[in-house]
Amino acid sequence: MKMKLHLTYIAVLLFIFTSCVKEVADYNSYTIELKVNFGEEVSLQNRDSARVVLNNLTKNYTHTQYTTAEGDVTFKNIEPGFYSATVIHSFGEDGKAYYLNGLLLLDVFSDIIDTVEVVISKTNALVVKEYYYSGCLTPAGKQYSADQYVEIYNNSGLTQYADGISVFEHESYSLSDNYWEFISDTIVGRAIWTIPGEGNDYPILPGNSIVIARDAINHQDDSLGNPLSPVNLEYADFEFWVETISGDDIDGPFAENMIEDLFTYRGSDYVFHTRGGSAIAIIRIPGNAEERKDFINNNLICKPDIPSRFYGKIPNEYVIDAVEVTWDEAHAIYKRFPIELDAGYTYVEAGSRSGKCIRRKVKEIIDGRYIYQDTNNSTEDFLKDADPKPWIYEY
Amino acid sequence: MPIPNHGFMSTKLLYSALLIHLLLATAAGQDSTSYVSQGSFDIIRLLNPWLSGSNPAGMAFNPELYPGEMKLDYYSEKGDYKQVQHGDKLNSYSFGTRSYSKIGNSLFYGCFNYNKSFEKGTDYTNINDPGRETPYLLTDSIGGDVYDRELFSIEGKMSTPLGHAIMLGLAGSLDVGLATQDRDPRPMNKVLKLSLSPGLVFSLPSIKIGVNLLYSYYNEDIEIDIIEANKEHDFFQMHGLGTYIFHEARSFNRLYKQNRIGTEGQLNYKHGNINNMSAIKLQYATETADDGRKAGNASWSYIKNDSRLDINSMEAFNTTTISKNSFIHYLDAGLKISGMLGTEIIQRLETSGTTGATNWVTYAEEEKFDASRLDASLAYSLIKMKDLYLRDYEVGFILNYNSYKQSYYIPDRKEGYANISASLDMGRSFYIGRQVLSISCGLKYKRNISASLDFAEDSFFYNELLLPDHIFTTAGYYAPSIDLGWETEINKIFSKYFFNTSIDLYLADNDRHRTIFSFSTGVIF
């Protein structure tokens, strides 16, 4: 009897201690109910089964659901965190293709009921076909980025003119929240470089492209180049050339120099952020060169802590094509372009100095002319680790 | 180019420790040298069950034996029966010295150890001890690394009477170390552990009651560099059961800080030839992992709080020693239960609109991981003494049960297993004139009794880390071992010279094996 009591006592003690020591996680999970607002332009029969991708921006995984005919979608058992909800949808009507994009950034720390607005993308005549910013390594293992370039492609069936088209670089490097989010319908940039011309000087034929190089040289052969560079840009159409007394920037002999309209952090050379900080757009500011310059000068803005540093404000309506390039998935949280300009984001997954670029996907080939995909969503439209191939059109 | 291992603090620490140690040993005199042997430290532990607990005041009940030892050790492990992040091969060299001393009514114990080791073939780890129980490991995707480690340890204990029936004790230890890898990415881990424990024992005629407090601080500061120009690597901040956040960077910094507090109560009953001791220890620890990166090529250069781990543990044991004629029966039952709760800290880098200052802002702290471990053991030994403090022969066995469960929530992942193990050891000492030859051998056996790994995804870390480690922890084995020791009296400053060597061979039932070899040589005084 005494032994039995002893054992019971030990068992009770063990139970109490075990209960005290054992820890059970009291975790949270939430439900996200989203309604996709298609607007009045999209008929009821075209609203069914729109794809909605919920992406955990910190941990880099996604959940995918499809909307009901009413445009509703529900994600259950979602862990707390920072997410993006992307709507990707397309349909054909009256022989035309329509692309719908929507993006909503969500801080999920409670159940959420929200609406995702979608925009019907307009198909641009001029699009960014390739953007090579990552740079590469020299045989000595040193960083080389002078071979960066942007390629603009005429995706339409009509001749387009490059005259007055500007390359715009967003002010933010996507390291924290976009400071300029409070200014609606406007993007703010740190650099604007414009193609010269009076309006008809630089035609781009249908299915052709122009290349704007950082340094228009044969990077693979030139003594100032890098034999491991993936590109020869000697015959680039245009060049970002910074005129300085020191003459540090290489001035390629065959390329036209771009007009430096705004260069906030002016140095001896113009460089895109090699890790993906430079989100770019191609824009067209109305008017001639003088009017464009006046517009930029009259729309400068600065941050209160550095009143002497000016950035350029550009209305969204001047944007022809925007590419939200970022560092990686985790930095997509700091998106800069609004969804009507770019509903997604992209980046070179292989990283800085990888010699890789982002390239727009080919949608189809019509009469030998490549048509590149342009749904206004970089996540969908671009290949992430493509080999740079300027002026070459292929799948 | 390998990162130079400067052996920081080495000279000062070595001289200080040796000086303290030799002063204590000299002050105490050597009254009992004829009794000291290689097994003296074990005999003291056997005859004073207080040394099985953590109360330093209990050292007062040691037998009148004050051995000292100074030795060089070589230790090696080799084989593929191992956890993934441990090396295929380990070579370890150490110098150590320890002794008990009595000055007046006070008893002292001092220990110093210097260890240099090379662990080859470690995979994916950037932390000094991947076996340290935390889900918040820092890994990369590179295998075949070599960890070069240097560790200094100092430990001191004292026990002194406060009046007739009260003993006061104080224990402290300090471990400092540096570990480096010589292949990109190259972590440099600075490790520090400090422990303090004051204690009291109240001595009544046949019962002694003790209590002591425990405090320890652990700090591991990791700085990872990539020497190859313009090269970046992926770093994975693991969150348990294969979940992670990853970043590609040219450098990475992490700081682990752990504070542990606890208390232990002891009850000792001694009557005639029976000496029984029970103790229970409760501890709580909290450990944080913070990430900070250098500026320059880093994604950010501010400190980000990654996670917090809370650990509770309860340990209890009961030992009984029965001395009859020249035989000692030793019976020990032990139980340890521990629980871990892991919290992820969700932060976002934000810039204040008014000041322009950029900081990681905490949005939530989420409990996402829990784990529990249970270890129970029962041991019995029969020791035949040749003399008061010299062993003749010994036979012993140990039974052990351990179970472990861990869970991660959203996505839900679970792992659990339970193992039993048994070991049988026997040894004998042969006294041949002024020399003693000791031989012992043993056999360990482990068997898994339950195992589950509930994991839906087929990922890199599942295939390369979780699954192989699960197979390792649930694999059964046989492990025969043999130990050979020799000692001889030397009539100099030191009493005896000795060497000892042992081999353990682990033969696992997944066709893997591991050989552990050790060799020690030194003097006893």
Side-chain angles (χ1 to χ4, degrees):
Chain A
M1 185 66 183
K2 200 175 172 184
M3 184 70 179
K4 207 171 175 182
L5 272 174
H6 210 73
L7 286 173
T8 313
Y9 173 69
I10 291 170
V12 169
L13 267 181
L14 272 179
F15 176 76
I16 291 168
F17 282 128
T18 309
S19 307
C20 291
V21 168
K22 195 172 180 192
E23 301 270 15
V24 178
D26 182 16
Y27 62 97
N28 292 302
S29 71
Y30 301 112
T31 300
I32 301 169
E33 293 178 48
L34 299 176
K35 179 174 269 303
V36 178
N37 183 7
F38 289 99
E40 292 174 0
E41 293 175 58
V42 182
S43 60
L44 282 175
Q45 65 267 25
N46 290 325
R47 296 181 181 191
D48 198 16
S49 300
R51 182 154 59 105
V52 183
V53 179
L54 187 71
N55 184 12
N56 185 313
L57 296 170
T58 313
K59 297 188 175 179
N60 192 16
Y61 66 82
T62 58
H63 297 288
T64 302
Q65 299 275 2
Y66 293 87
T67 58
T68 63
E70 291 73 38
D72 296 328
V73 68
T74 302
F75 295 92
K76 289 181 178 167
N77 200 28
I78 299 301
E79 70 170 312
F82 305 108
Y83 291 84
S84 67
T86 310
V87 179
I88 305 136
H89 192 44
S90 62
F91 61 90
E93 198 173 66
D94 302 329
K96 291 181 184 171
Y98 294 85
Y99 298 97
L100 276 68
N101 288 296
L103 178 74
L104 186 64
L105 292 174
L106 297 164
D107 295 349
V108 181
F109 298 100
S110 62
D111 287 337
I112 283 180
I113 299 173
D114 212 330
T115 302
V116 189
E117 304 291 339
V118 294
V119 290
I120 301 176
S121 71
K122 56 180 182 184
T123 303
N124 302 308
L126 295 176
V127 293
V128 174
K129 181 209 146 207
E130 279 186 11
Y131 177 24
Y132 170 57
Y133 60 83
S134 69
C136 54
L137 292 175
T138 66
K142 295 193 184 306
Q143 182 180 351
Y144 186 83
S145 61
D147 53 354
Q148 295 172 324
Y149 67 89
V150 179
E151 183 177 14
I152 299 170
Y153 182 81
N154 182 357
N155 213 22
S156 74
L158 301 170
T159 298
Q160 303 291 326
Y161 292 91
D163 309 49
I165 298 284
S166 307
V167 175
F168 166 99
E169 184 187 354
H170 199 280
E171 182 274 327
S172 168
Y173 271 168
S174 185
L175 279 166
S176 60
D177 286 337
N178 177 18
Y179 179 84
W180 311 104
E181 215 158 21
F182 63 94
I183 309 174
S184 59
D185 302 326
T186 302
I187 53 175
V188 177
R190 56 168 63 206
I192 299 172
W193 292 83
T194 306
I195 294 169
E198 299 297 320
N200 298 311
D201 295 342
Y202 301 106
I204 313 173
L205 297 175
N208 280 269
S209 60
I210 55 167
V211 171
I212 308 169
R214 191 183 132 191
D215 286 328
I217 59 171
N218 183 344
H219 293 274
Q220 296 163 331
D221 280 353
D222 197 287
S223 59
L224 296 171
N226 168 23
L228 298 184
S229 170
V231 287
N232 170 6
L233 299 179
E234 188 174 11
Y235 298 104
D237 303 273
F238 302 97
E239 180 182 38
F240 299 104
W241 181 66
V242 182
E243 187 175 8
T244 56
I245 294 168
S246 65
D248 284 345
D249 194 9
I250 299 169
D251 190 6
F254 303 113
E256 283 289 334
N257 289 327
M258 300 281 281
I259 299 166
E260 180 189 314
D261 280 331
L262 176 77
F263 191 5
T264 303
Y265 296 87
R266 195 172 198 280
S268 58
D269 204 350
Y270 178 63
V271 187
F272 292 115
H273 196 271
T274 59
R275 294 201 58 175
S278 302
I280 60 164
I282 47 175
I283 63 175
R284 189 194 290 276
I285 299 169
N288 58 29
E290 198 177 325
E291 289 165 331
R292 185 179 68 244
K293 199 78 184 169
D294 282 346
F295 177 85
I296 292 169
N297 288 337
N298 289 328
N299 286 278
L300 295 173
I301 192 168
C302 59
K303 291 181 180 175
D305 53 337
I306 311 175
S308 58
R309 184 171 291 160
F310 294 99
Y311 308 101
K313 285 194 299 176
I314 299 295
N316 291 353
E317 62 188 293
Y318 292 176
V319 176
I320 298 168
D321 188 27
V323 186
E324 177 84 40
V325 161
T326 188
W327 296 51
D328 51 29
E329 210 67 37
H331 286 81
I333 199 168
Y334 309 121
K335 188 165 166 51
R336 293 147 291 181
F337 289 135
I339 58 164
E340 55 268 33
L341 300 184
D342 186 351
Y345 55 87
T346 190
Y347 52 92
V348 173
E349 215 162 20
S352 175
R353 300 126 198 170
S354 61
K356 302 288 183 185
C357 73
I358 56 159
R359 184 196 301 152
R360 196 175 283 275
K361 295 173 187 168
V362 174
K363 183 188 163 201
E364 58 190 338
I365 302 173
I366 298 175
D367 298 332
R369 181 166 62 88
Y370 281 78
I371 310 291
Y372 285 90
Q373 181 173 309
D374 184 19
T375 68
N376 212 28
N377 183 336
S378 296
T379 311
E380 293 291 304
D381 291 346
F382 279 87
L383 299 170
K384 274 183 178 156
D385 283 342
D387 291 321
K389 290 182 179 175
W391 300 291
I392 294 173
Y393 318 118
E394 61 182 25
Y395 276 101
Chain B
M1 187 181 80
I3 293 173
N5 188 336
H6 296 296
F8 66 101
M9 291 179 68
S10 57
T11 318
K12 277 185 185 173
L13 206 60
L14 183 69
Y15 288 150
S16 308
L18 281 174
L19 192 63
I20 292 165
H21 182 79
L22 289 173
L23 279 174
L24 284 174
T26 312
Q30 299 299 326
D31 301 332
S32 54
T33 50
S34 59
Y35 293 114
V36 294
S37 71
Q38 274 192 82
S40 291
F41 288 94
D42 294 334
I43 296 289
I44 291 172
R45 197 174 199 86
L46 184 73
L47 297 176
N48 180 12
W50 283 89
L51 298 187
S52 299
S54 61
N55 190 339
M59 202 168 59
F61 311 113
N62 275 11
E64 293 290 322
L65 185 65
Y66 308 104
E69 180 184 74
M70 195 182 298
K71 61 176 182 174
L72 296 167
D73 287 309
Y74 169 72
Y75 175 89
S76 78
E77 287 187 28
K78 192 179 178 184
D80 54 5
Y81 177 62
K82 64 172 192 86
Q83 290 193 282
V84 171
Q85 293 180 310
H86 286 147
D88 301 322
K89 212 174 184 181
L90 171 70
N91 284 308
S92 166
Y93 309 87
S94 57
F95 165 77
T97 177
R98 58 177 173 162
S99 76
Y100 283 103
S101 307
K102 191 171 186 181
I103 303 174
N105 288 327
S106 301
L107 195 70
F108 294 87
Y109 171 78
C111 176
F112 167 78
N113 201 64
Y114 166 76
N115 178 272
K116 177 83 178 167
S117 69
F118 302 91
E119 188 176 8
K120 294 180 180 172
T122 61
D123 292 342
Y124 315 131
T125 183
N126 286 303
I127 68 172
N128 177 51
D129 178 11
R132 198 170 62 83
E133 280 198 350
T134 172
Y136 301 112
L137 301 171
L138 180 63
T139 70
D140 56 45
S141 57
I142 304 297
D145 292 318
V146 178
Y147 242 127
D148 176 350
R149 295 187 179 91
E150 190 172 33
L151 177 71
F152 296 89
S153 306
I154 300 181
E155 186 186 357
K157 278 198 272 190
M158 62 85 72
S159 174
T160 190
L162 286 182
H164 233 29
I166 302 176
M167 304 293 165
L168 170 71
L170 185 65
S173 68
L174 176 69
D175 300 338
V176 289
L178 184 70
T180 58
Q181 287 183 21
D182 63 355
R183 276 185 59 188
D184 284 347
R186 299 163 199 240
M188 181 166 68
N189 308 58
K190 293 175 195 163
V191 180
L192 180 146
K193 187 178 180 185
L194 172 73
S195 301
L196 286 172
S197 177
L200 287 171
V201 176
F202 304 92
S203 184
L204 303 170
S206 59
I207 288 179
K208 296 180 184 69
I209 299 168
V211 65
N212 63 300
L213 300 175
L214 297 152
Y215 170 74
S216 69
Y217 172 72
Y218 176 82
N219 179 315
E220 183 172 350
D221 190 354
I222 307 171
E223 182 183 331
I224 306 175
D225 288 313
I226 293 164
I227 302 298
E228 187 181 349
N230 302 311
K231 180 80 178 168
E232 295 183 341
H233 280 270
D234 290 334
F235 296 101
F236 299 87
Q237 296 140 276
M238 307 301 290
H239 283 170
L241 281 162
T243 57
Y244 60 82
I245 298 173
F246 89 97
H247 291 94
E248 192 177 84
R250 277 199 48 76
S251 65
F252 203 97
N253 286 58
R254 167 163 280 204
L255 178 64
Y256 291 99
K257 283 196 285 189
Q258 187 192 83
N259 281 286
R260 183 181 289 268
I261 53 167
T263 183
E264 185 180 287
Q266 303 92 12
L267 179 68
N268 178 213
Y269 169 77
K270 190 173 181 183
H271 183 73
N273 57 1
I274 297 175
N275 195 351
N276 179 275
M277 168 107 178
S278 297
I280 184 161
K281 180 157 75 177
L282 300 171
Q283 290 191 96
Y284 167 73
T286 182
E287 178 174 310
T288 55
D290 294 333
D291 295 320
R293 296 187 185 185
K294 290 177 180 176
N297 290 308
S299 297
W300 67 76
S301 51
Y302 311 90
I303 301 298
K304 180 182 184 300
N305 307 124
D306 177 73
S307 55
R308 188 181 64 248
L309 186 68
D310 295 292
I311 309 161
N312 281 314
S313 71
M314 187 279 292
E315 284 177 74
F317 73 86
N318 179 285
T319 68
T320 303
T321 331
I322 303 167
S323 307
K324 201 170 183 181
N325 301 325
S326 57
F327 287 96
I328 298 172
H329 300 269
Y330 175 80
L331 197 68
D332 177 80
L335 176 71
K336 182 179 180 183
I337 303 168
S338 61
M340 288 196 286
L341 181 66
T343 302
E344 290 172 26
I345 300 167
I346 302 173
Q347 295 187 317
R348 182 159 68 187
L349 192 63
E350 293 184 359
T351 305
S352 162
T354 50
T355 64
T358 306
N359 289 301
W360 286 94
V361 177
T362 301
Y363 276 73
E365 296 189 2
E366 288 294 323
E367 295 176 2
K368 300 274 286 175
F369 173 89
D370 59 44
S372 62
R373 182 179 288 285
L374 189 149
D375 277 292
S377 64
L378 186 68
Y380 170 77
S381 294
L382 171 68
I383 301 108
K384 166 80 168 58
M385 303 300 286
K386 176 180 167 57
D387 205 335
L388 189 58
Y389 300 126
L390 297 175
R391 188 193 72 161
D392 189 356
Y393 63 83
E394 180 177 350
V395 179
F397 75 85
I398 302 170
L399 294 175
N400 182 272
Y401 168 85
N402 73 78
S403 69
Y404 181 69
K405 282 181 187 168
Q406 59 174 337
S407 303
Y408 188 88
Y409 303 96
I410 315 179
D412 291 355
R413 296 166 178 184
K414 287 181 195 299
E415 185 191 18
Y417 58 82
N419 297 319
I420 52 167
S421 59
S423 67
L424 179 69
D425 288 281
M426 56 188 75
R428 174 149 203 172
S429 299
F430 300 94
Y431 296 84
I432 310 156
R434 291 156 62 90
Q435 299 174 32
V436 185
L437 178 68
S438 301
I439 301 172
S440 48
C441 61
L443 181 68
K444 293 192 201 87
Y445 168 72
K446 179 188 153 196
R447 187 181 167 186
N448 177 254
I449 51 176
S450 72
S452 64
L453 185 59
D454 182 4
F455 200 102
E457 291 169 50
D458 184 23
S459 64
F460 174 80
F461 283 111
Y462 175 76
N463 292 318
E464 295 292 326
L465 205 61
L466 276 176
L467 188 59
D469 277 355
H470 181 75
I471 291 168
F472 168 79
T473 47
T474 58
Y477 63 69
Y478 291 93
S481 64
I482 188 159
D483 191 308
L484 182 72
W486 177 78
E487 61 187 63
T488 186
E489 285 185 22
I490 44 174
N491 296 318
K492 303 272 179 181
I493 307 166
F494 305 110
S495 299
K496 287 179 177 172
Y497 163 76
F498 74 92
F499 77 79
N500 187 283
T501 185
S502 70
I503 298 177
D504 290 58
L505 179 62
Y506 285 81
L507 302 164
D509 55 18
N510 58 346
D511 288 334
R512 298 199 164 201
H513 69 278
R514 194 152 180 98
T515 307
I516 299 173
F517 172 77
S518 72
F519 179 82
S520 305
T521 186
V523 288
I524 303 159
F525 51 89

